[in-house]
Amino acid sequence: MAGADGDDSLYPIAVLIDELRNEDVQLRLNSIKKLSTIALALGVERTRTELLPFLTDTIYDEDEVLLALAEQLGNFTMLVGGPEYVHCLLPPLESLATVEETVVRDKAVESLRKISQEHCPVDLEVHFEPLVKRLASGDWFTSRTSACGLFSVCYPRVSSTVKAEIRQHFRTLCSDDTPMVRRAAASKLGEFAKVLELDYVKSDIISLFTALASDEQDSVRLLAVEACVSIATLLPQEDLETLVMPTLRQAAEDKSWRVRYMVADKFSELQKAVGPEITKNDLVPAFQNLLKDCEAEVRAAAANKVKEFCENLPEDNREQIIMTHILPCVKELVSDTNQHVKSALASVIMGLSTILGKDNTIEHLLPLFLAQLKDECPEVRLNIISNLDCVNEVIGIRQLSQSLLPAIVELAEDAKWRVRLAIIEYMPLLAGQLGVEFFDEKLNTLCMAWLIDHVYAIREAATCNLMKLVDKFGTEWAQNTIVPKVLGMANDPNYLHRMTTLFCINALSETCGDEIITKQMLPVVLKMSNDQVANVRFNVAKSLQKIGPKIEKGVLQAEVKPVLEKLATDQDMDVKYFAQEALSVLPFQ
């Protein structure tokens, strides 16, 4: 019997291996995903001698199967017997690193990088490094692009002779005939620079960087910009001016907008890498040019960095640089023709107020905020509203309300409902900043008006808003200011508004005390049970179910139960259903 059991345990493995050969892609994919189960069952020896050769031979498959395989093999170290046998995983991964589909190659490289860490230095030189060399000198560009991602993981742990070979291979690939290979090399240049000794960074990397940054293909040049950040952080300050800055200046004025976009996108990182002196002399004029670029994408990327760039300027002359050089460009961008540019600026411009202080904000920034609040693009207005709090911290609520509140009130009545919705969502925060008196005087009527908006999403948000306001201002305020107005809507000729009364009662019952519920809200809800419209009546049943637990037992029995019993015999199916549900749930005596 024991023997039979043994055969049984191998049976699923045979099935899985058959599935690896099956014509149905889905079955092959499922089998690959269970590869670790197969390997566990086979044991480390058979995995090495049978499963891996089988997998290496069958690498002619659909991309999704190969992708799953490349991922699985990265976690296979223990299944082949641990680090001393990890090199057995290299042949299948080497094949996968040369296939045509980029996603598969990238995943194979990712797995190779992972398992390179598990090779001891000797194995790295005997098994891993030759693989990298084979890929680097492969006939197909696919293998050469894969090699670019492997240099940096093996370089730190090999002997100096091998290091020299690796550097040579990398140099060769940086000037490869195929743009795809040069692109791969450029994308790994910064990473490779980080593991090199400083002397080689200066002697090798800089010349490669300069060459790639002047490549005929803009897709290569823009990747060199990315490497610039890493290289600049590695070099001592005195070498930056001669070794990096000429290339960076050239990139900032590149004829291709994609390269200039990359410079704008990496600007804050470049600024930190090159330090305050170069920033002042070189980056400020470069940043001005990017903010004025003829391509909207470049202006938007630069606009996104305005706050960060200004924050990182040297403190001793930060204000002077901003006021003289940056603010004039920002003023132009506020009325840019492209909405993405304006929106990018609006998402960060408020942050300048904390850097420039109260007087400058009032004099120079407030007029810009106002212009943006009135912009025809909803996103621009929204970005300004969402960041009002940092301006409030700088200039105080009085000043803020005098200048910006009229514009906010205008937006609250905007024709586009999404703009109104954005303002509602901002209201509790605004209310907290303004204080109760100011709120009652300026904004209360708005909040009530939203309750009868013709868009349901606005009415719903307005109901939720009331609840948050009561949380802020307390139940006494609710009793005097909100509840009477809400209950007054119960007699509105429009049934949608009458329903809003019920929704508000449901929401407010969570924050108002039991007394307000019983004395003020309950009589109105009960009266509405006779409404002509079925939708109102079934919402009465739902409201009674919601507020019932907060009502004392005697009142519940005497007043609520008869009304629900009457609704439970209503002609309308829904009214009946919700009334019966409330009757079954509420704690009657």
Side-chain angles (χ1 to χ4, degrees):
M1 273 311 281
D5 277 353
D7 290 341
D8 269 2
S9 70
L10 280 178
Y11 169 70
I13 304 311
V15 171
L16 283 172
I17 287 183
D18 278 346
E19 282 181 0
L20 282 172
R21 295 193 178 96
N22 197 295
E23 282 181 15
D24 181 351
V25 177
Q26 197 51 53
L27 280 176
R28 295 204 300 278
L29 189 58
N30 291 344
S31 193
I32 289 284
K33 286 182 176 167
K34 293 175 190 153
L35 210 50
S36 53
T37 317
I38 302 179
L40 269 172
L42 289 173
V44 292
E45 182 105 6
R46 288 186 67 192
T47 297
R48 290 199 301 269
T49 54
E50 294 173 36
L51 183 61
L52 287 177
F54 168 74
L55 290 171
T56 312
D57 294 341
T58 55
I59 295 181
Y60 305 100
D61 205 332
E62 301 289 331
D63 293 334
E64 53 187 319
V65 178
L66 297 182
L67 179 64
L69 177 58
E71 187 171 6
Q72 290 284 323
L73 290 174
N75 305 316
F76 244 59
T77 306
M78 297 323 289
L79 299 169
V80 292
E84 63 185 293
Y85 293 104
V86 72
H87 58 84
C88 301
L89 296 171
L90 298 180
L93 282 169
E94 180 174 354
S95 303
L96 289 166
T98 62
V99 299
E100 205 173 324
E101 176 51 53
T102 316
V103 209
V104 177
R105 289 203 309 274
D106 289 350
K107 188 55 80 179
V109 169
E110 193 184 307
S111 289
L112 280 166
R113 286 167 71 103
K114 198 171 177 183
I115 65 170
S116 72
Q117 306 305 323
E118 289 160 346
H119 283 67
C120 66
V122 176
D123 280 350
L124 205 62
E125 284 200 19
V126 175
H127 299 287
F128 197 89
E129 207 272 331
L131 169 146
V132 179
K133 278 188 200 166
R134 284 195 299 277
L135 289 174
S137 45
D139 293 337
W140 290 94
F141 82 89
T142 50
S143 73
R144 301 200 300 277
T145 54
S146 291
C148 295
L150 298 173
F151 292 123
S152 62
V153 289
C154 55
Y155 187 87
R157 296 168 59 213
V158 291
S159 64
S160 51
T161 329
V162 179
K163 279 184 175 177
E165 288 173 20
I166 291 176
R167 288 196 304 278
Q168 183 50 51
H169 278 296
F170 192 79
R171 268 200 298 278
T172 311
L173 293 181
C174 283
S175 53
D176 197 277
D177 291 341
T178 315
M180 278 80 92
V181 177
R182 297 200 302 279
R183 203 155 56 216
S187 72
K188 299 296 176 193
L189 184 64
E191 181 188 284
F192 190 48
K194 283 179 184 167
V195 298
L196 252 63
E197 298 79 0
L198 184 59
D199 289 346
Y200 292 122
V201 172
K202 289 184 190 178
S203 60
D204 288 24
I205 294 288
I206 294 296
S207 57
L208 298 175
F209 166 60
T210 314
L212 290 167
S214 315
D215 196 276
E216 62 189 40
Q217 298 277 336
D218 64 354
S219 59
V220 176
R221 297 200 300 276
L222 65 87
L223 289 166
V225 171
E226 216 165 326
C228 183
V229 178
S230 305
I231 295 167
T233 47
L234 298 171
L235 292 171
Q237 194 66 34
E238 62 271 15
D239 292 331
L240 286 174
E241 186 52 59
T242 49
L243 300 179
V244 173
M245 286 318 293
T247 310
L248 183 56
R249 284 188 203 108
Q250 172 193 318
E253 293 171 3
D254 197 281
K255 61 181 187 290
S256 160
W257 71 267
R258 287 186 180 83
V259 178
R260 300 195 305 276
Y261 172 88
M262 189 56 105
V263 174
D265 193 48
K266 300 281 168 203
F267 216 82
S268 304
E269 293 158 61
L270 288 166
Q271 180 188 8
K272 286 177 190 155
V274 300
E277 266 318 295
I278 293 178
T279 293
K280 209 159 49 183
N281 304 331
D282 268 286
L283 294 195
V284 171
F287 193 55
Q288 282 175 287
N289 291 337
L290 292 168
L291 289 169
K292 294 175 182 167
D293 199 275
C294 56
E295 285 294 333
E297 279 87 348
V298 178
R299 294 198 302 279
N304 244 323
K305 302 287 171 194
V306 163
K307 177 188 168 216
E308 237 177 305
F309 181 71
C310 292
E311 268 176 346
N312 295 328
L313 285 168
E315 275 187 42
D316 50 353
N317 50 6
R318 180 194 291 164
E319 192 176 317
Q320 183 255 324
I321 293 175
I322 297 173
M323 298 305 291
T324 322
H325 302 290
I326 308 297
L327 202 61
C329 302
V330 168
K331 283 180 177 166
E332 282 174 38
L333 291 180
V334 167
S335 50
D336 198 277
T337 48
N338 183 289
Q339 70 178 52
H340 297 296
V341 176
K342 290 189 293 190
S343 180
L345 181 67
S347 65
V348 298
I349 190 172
M350 312 297 265
L352 290 180
S353 53
T354 38
I355 303 169
L356 288 175
K358 185 171 181 176
D359 296 341
N360 283 328
T361 298
I362 292 171
E363 188 180 340
H364 297 284
L365 294 179
L366 270 183
L368 302 181
F369 300 158
L370 259 176
Q372 288 172 305
L373 264 177
K374 291 178 177 166
D375 196 279
E376 79 277 2
C377 167
E379 209 171 301
V380 174
R381 302 191 297 239
L382 183 55
N383 283 344
I384 291 293
I385 292 159
S386 312
N387 293 295
L388 273 179
D389 43 349
C390 59
V391 182
N392 177 30
E393 282 167 27
V394 178
I395 65 171
I397 198 67
R398 282 284 148 203
Q399 184 69 49
L400 182 69
S401 58
Q402 279 166 19
S403 14
L404 300 184
L405 208 64
I408 288 174
V409 171
E410 211 174 298
L411 290 180
E413 293 158 351
D414 194 277
K416 294 192 179 64
W417 69 269
R418 286 179 198 280
V419 176
R420 300 200 297 277
L421 188 63
I423 292 281
I424 296 177
E425 284 166 359
Y426 195 72
M427 208 36 86
L429 181 56
L430 203 57
Q433 294 171 356
L434 293 166
V436 66
E437 290 152 31
F438 194 88
F439 179 83
D440 280 348
E441 181 193 331
K442 306 276 184 192
L443 296 174
N444 198 340
T445 40
L446 266 183
C447 290
M448 300 314 294
W450 282 323
L451 290 172
I452 53 172
D453 196 281
H454 62 278
V455 175
Y456 175 74
I458 299 289
R459 298 197 298 273
E460 186 182 34
T463 306
C464 195
N465 173 46
L466 283 187
M467 196 166 81
K468 291 176 185 162
L469 291 173
V470 175
D471 276 343
K472 280 247 182 334
F473 295 151
T475 48
E476 196 178 322
W477 174 79
Q479 192 169 356
N480 300 331
T481 318
I482 297 290
V483 175
K485 290 181 181 169
V486 166
L487 298 181
M489 287 163 55
N491 302 317
D492 195 293
N494 184 332
Y495 86 93
L496 292 172
H497 300 170
R498 300 200 296 278
M499 268 166 55
T500 303
T501 298
L502 292 167
F503 297 150
C504 287
I505 286 172
N506 295 351
L508 291 171
S509 67
E510 292 182 26
T511 43
C512 291
D514 294 356
E515 193 182 338
I516 297 179
I517 296 172
T518 309
K519 297 250 177 76
Q520 289 177 268
M521 294 180 176
L522 181 62
V524 174
V525 180
L526 295 173
K527 186 178 163 206
M528 290 172 83
S529 67
N530 298 316
D531 200 283
Q532 300 294 307
V533 178
N535 279 22
V536 176
R537 295 199 300 278
F538 83 62
N539 273 297
V540 165
K542 285 167 86 172
S543 288
L544 288 173
Q545 183 177 335
K546 170 95 176 154
I547 65 174
K550 297 189 164 83
I551 295 167
E552 58 185 72
K553 294 280 195 319
V555 178
L556 203 59
Q557 191 71 23
E559 297 181 31
V560 175
K561 195 175 183 184
V563 169
L564 283 172
E565 282 169 344
K566 181 182 157 209
L567 290 174
T569 60
D570 199 282
Q571 291 154 352
D572 186 276
M573 293 290 292
D574 291 329
V575 179
K576 237 186 220 174
Y577 170 79
F578 285 111
Q580 283 163 353
E581 190 180 90
L583 280 168
S584 66
V585 171
L586 287 174
F588 297 112
Q589 285 162 341

